[in-house]
Each structure stands twice: as structure tokens, then as C-alpha cells.
Amino acid sequence: MEHSLKIYNTLSRKKEVFVPLHSPHVGMYVCGPTVYGDAHLGHARPAITFDLLFRYLTFLGYKVRYVRNITDVGHLENDADEGEDKIAKKARLEQLEPMEVVQYYLNRYHKAMEALNVLPPSIEPHASGHIIEQIELVKAILENGWAYESEGSVYFDVEKYNKEYHYGKLSGRNIEDLLNTTRDLDGQSEKRNSMDFALWKKASPEHIMRWPSPWSEGFPGWHLECTAMSKKYLGEEFDIHGGGMDLIFPHHECEIAQSCASQGKDSVRYWMHNNMITINGQKMGKSLGNFITLDQFFKGDHPMLTQAYSPMTIRFFILQAHYRSTVDFSNEALQASEKGLERLMDGYQSLLKIQPSASSSVDVSGLREDCLNAMSDDLNSPIVISHLFDATRIINTVASGAATLSEADLKELKDVFSLFLFDILGLQSSSTASTESDEAYRKAVDLLLSMRMEAKKRKDWGTSDQIRDQLTAFGFEIKDTKDGFSWKLNK
């Protein structure tokens, strides 16, 4: 059965059946990080959200070109086109070249994404590598009359644009009211209106990152890069643009304006936004100083953390909530996620050891369809996880000898579990991400427990009890099953 994927379009504010522009090819652009510091939990959520979408679109048979940009120039300290470039500021403080800062944190970002099992995008363009494209875009907007030059900088004329187009249609803001209340600049700005945003900024004498342009030596505005690079790699129109909901205004609103001003139409068919991760109800972010880096989560090295959390626990924590809902950080929530993930992984390991019976006494026929329906309903990962928990209860019942599975049903359960737990949700068991030493360790424990089983058959209770007691003292939990044994190491 074919499944129609429904996704929530931020622009229309409703779920829509996804229809690709160039079937079966899908163009997807997602706003990536500004690389001037370590990735934190807030960075993990969009990465995992759109990794989930990427995986599911691929599973459905689409050929996805996934573009995720790297902002390494032009993002100033606030959205009013004021302050210092974030990367240049970091470079000045640490006495480094700006691209040294970029490369250092980009390497660390990639390492964190790999730990979270986030698949790499098809293309990862840098803003600094597409200055020519951004200059050409500014030229086009100027030629079409939607921007003006002022003292070597170029600004987008929001008031003029809003008379023909709707600036604010993505965020739902009434820009005319805002224009009326923010019109007076007291002659203190080179902008005509405070809502106008920079397309090109003239560099001050101390500014490190600068390029020649028809207007001045300077640098592109932050909003410009995504419009220029999405057009270069996905064309004038493409399917999906994603990012965090904090980017809806002004960043994505400005992108729509730039596309319409340069080519007479919006580029994007479906706008998708993940919600925030919060701490005590406040957005987690560098600007608020309340963030915890992913590396700190992995090591447990932060005053707000009571323990270290594995990358898979972090991924599972994020997937347990729908991508459009707010997630509030707490150690209790992460610990619950850790236990929940362990239950699923233990269930899968038990599933691999079950021997088929002549017939099934439990019904697993609807599991695949239930999971597909949930994923096709706007990527409802929490419902998928709940179905997998239901399946785990069935597995445990069969493993205890209280129920049976036929060979066909056992294979179906294994296939569905593997498909959704590993391929689509992107979770990994310790065996999936194991090293050779981990494998040797597991084999050694299995060997000891096999020796215990042989001792029991010989009624050598002394040896059997000694092996069990010693392993239990080391923290192992051992269970006898109808097919032999199972074990895990408790933390």
C-alpha cells in the first residue's frame, strides 16, 4: 500500500499531502549552524528532525537532494544589522583567522552529528564560498527596484515590497502596523526604515571578513546566503525548506521576500519548522547563556547534569516528542528516555534469540501499517515509538514462553523492528555501534554463561551458582529463558 506523506506547512498553517515538484526527485534545504561555538542540544533538534524526514523520504522511494548550509560569514550579533560578525568576534578574541574558528567548530559539529547518527547532507555549502552568487542576487533585487544603496551598504525596502507582496505571510505578522510604529529613525541610521534589512553591508575599517562588490568592500547580509545557495543547488523552485521555528522571523520571512523580489515568486513549496528545546520554560541558546553543549551531555560535564547521557539517549529524547512540540530539558526526562531506549534495545536483542514455532498465538500483522501511518502523519515519531513498545511487550511474552510466533511472523517482526528502530528513527544499539573489543567482551560473557548452562545440565550446581553469583556481583543481570539465557550489564 502506498502511503501519502502529510506534512505541516508553516505557510498555510495546515497539514498538506506532500507532492514533489519533480517526482521522484525532492529538493530539501535546511538552515544549518553558525559555526562559532560548540553545538548544543538546541542544534541537535533540527538536525535530528530533518534527518528523520530525509530518512523517511528516502524510504518512500524519493531521490532526495538534501542541502544544509554552513553560516560562516555575515551573521551579526543581532538581527537589526548591528554589532560584530559572530565568527569575526570569536576570531578576534582568540587571535585566530576566522576560517580557523570555522574549521575547528565545524569539525566538532560533524563529530557530534556522527555520534547522533545524523546522516550527512547531499551538499553542505558555506556562505563564504558563495559570495559571487550573493552579489548577483543583490544586483537582481536592486535592478527590480526592491532595494536601495546607502553609504556603501544595500538594504531591502520592506515598505515598498509590502505594497505588492505580503511581508509577514510566513510569520503571520501585520507588518503595516509595525511600519507605523517604527518609522521614525531620528536620522541615526542609513536605512529608510528600521524594518529594512541588509543585503550587503559596507565593512568598517576593523572588520576582518570583507569582499569587493559594486557598492563597497563588505560582506553579505545573513539572510542572503540561503536564498542564493538554495537557488544554486535546488533551482528557482524547490520542495521543502526547514529549520527551527526561531528562524521564521526574520530569517525565513526575509528569504521569501528576497526570492519574490529577485524572481517574482517564492522558491519554497513547503515550509517546515521544528519547535524549541527549553530549560525551565526558556529557549535553550547561546544568546541566553543557558545552553548545554552536546559534548557536555556526552561527558556529563555540566553543573545542570547529574550524569552523562549517550548520543542515542539524546536522539531518543528528541524523537519521543513530536517535532512541532516544545521539549523541556530535565535530568528526569533524559533518564526516562535512557530507560525507554534500553527497553527497546533489550526487546530487539530478545527478538533475535527467539526460535520460531509452528504457529503464532499473538498477532503482529498490523505493526508495520501502524508505524507507516504514524510516520506519514507529519512524522509522528512518538506514535511510532509507542507501537514499538507494544511490540516489545509481545516479544517479552514470547521470550518467556507464554506465547509463540511462527517463522513468518517472527521474520516480519524482525524486519519491522529493524526498519523503524534503526533505519527510519536512526537509533543504534550497542551492537550496531560496537568495536571489535565490545564484540569480544560480549562473546566472553556468552561463553561463561554457556559454561554455566553446561554445568546445570551436569547438575554441577556449585559451578553454576559460582558463575552466576560472580557475574551478578560485577553488575550483570542474568535471566534463564526457554531458549537458553539472556543478560545485560546494569549501570
Side-chain angles (χ1 to χ4, degrees), residues 31 83 129-130 147-148 170 341 362 370 378:
C31 290
H130 295 77
Y148 57 91
L170 184 66
L341 178 60
V362 288
D370 288 342
D378 198 26

Side-chain angles (χ1 to χ4, degrees), residues 39-50:
H40 56 71
L41 193 60
H43 290 122
R45 192 166 197 195
I48 290 170
T49 294
F50 293 101

Side-chain angles (χ1 to χ4, degrees), residues 192-264:
R192 293 176 184 170
N193 192 291
S194 64
M195 290 207 66
D196 296 348
F197 57 90
L199 299 174
W200 185 266
K201 286 282 287 182
K202 180 181 179 179
S204 58
E206 66 274 8
H207 198 93
I208 319 172
M209 304 167 78
R210 58 174 68 211
W211 290 264
S213 79
W215 314 286
S216 65
E217 272 209 351
F219 54 93
W222 169 42
H223 312 302
L224 202 65
E225 64 184 82
C226 293
T227 306
M229 294 191 293
S230 62
K231 181 177 180 180
K232 179 178 177 68
Y233 296 108
L234 299 175
E236 285 193 354
E237 290 182 279
F238 60 95
D239 296 292
I240 299 169
H241 195 318
M245 68 175 296
D246 57 322
L247 297 177
I248 293 175
F249 189 88
H251 186 50
H252 289 164
E253 200 76 74
C254 293
E255 282 191 58
I256 291 176
Q258 289 167 165
S259 294
C260 292
S262 61
Q263 62 189 32

Side-chain angles (χ1 to χ4, degrees), residues 317-455:
F317 169 69
I318 289 172
L319 291 172
Q320 277 187 296
H322 189 268
Y323 77 90
R324 288 193 287 113
S325 65
T326 304
V327 177
D328 197 54
F329 157 81
S330 71
N331 282 282
E332 293 76 15
L334 279 166
Q335 287 160 7
S337 293
E338 186 175 60
K339 290 176 182 176
L341 178 60
E342 186 179 14
R343 277 178 56 205
L344 288 180
M345 293 304 175
D346 287 348
Y348 181 70
Q349 291 303 316
S350 296
L351 177 62
L352 298 180
K353 296 173 183 177
I354 291 174
Q355 296 300 313
S357 300
S359 61
S360 295
S361 62
V362 288
D363 183 16
V364 298
S365 60
L367 178 62
R368 183 187 295 266
E369 191 68 13
D370 288 342
C371 291
L372 285 171
N373 286 335
M375 279 302 301
S376 294
D377 184 16
D378 198 26
L379 307 181
N380 205 327
S381 57
I383 299 299
V384 175
I385 290 169
S386 73
H387 290 318
L388 294 176
F389 275 128
D390 291 341
T392 299
R393 282 191 283 273
I394 293 174
I395 291 167
N396 292 337
T397 302
V398 175
S400 70
T404 58
L405 280 171
S406 68
E407 186 171 355
D409 282 348
L410 183 59
K411 182 180 184 304
E412 170 68 359
L413 198 52
K414 288 178 180 177
D415 289 348
V416 173
F417 229 82
S418 177
L419 171 64
F420 286 95
L421 191 64
F422 302 129
D423 296 345
I424 292 176
L425 295 180
L427 295 163
Q428 292 178 317
S429 67
S430 57
S431 59
T432 308
S434 66
T435 62
E436 290 182 5
S437 60
D438 293 330
E439 186 65 25
Y441 158 78
R442 280 191 299 276
K443 286 180 178 178
V445 177
D446 285 343
L447 176 62
L448 282 170
L449 290 173
S450 296
M451 291 169 63
R452 175 175 174 266
M453 292 295 293
E454 290 297 323

Side-chain angles (χ1 to χ4, degrees), residues 265-283:
K265 59 186 177 183
D266 189 1
S267 300
V268 181
R269 303 185 76 198
Y270 303 91
W271 286 91
M272 293 182 69
H273 295 89
N274 63 273
N275 213 320
M276 298 180 292
I277 291 181
T278 58
I279 296 181
N280 299 322
Q282 266 196 322
K283 174 196 167 187

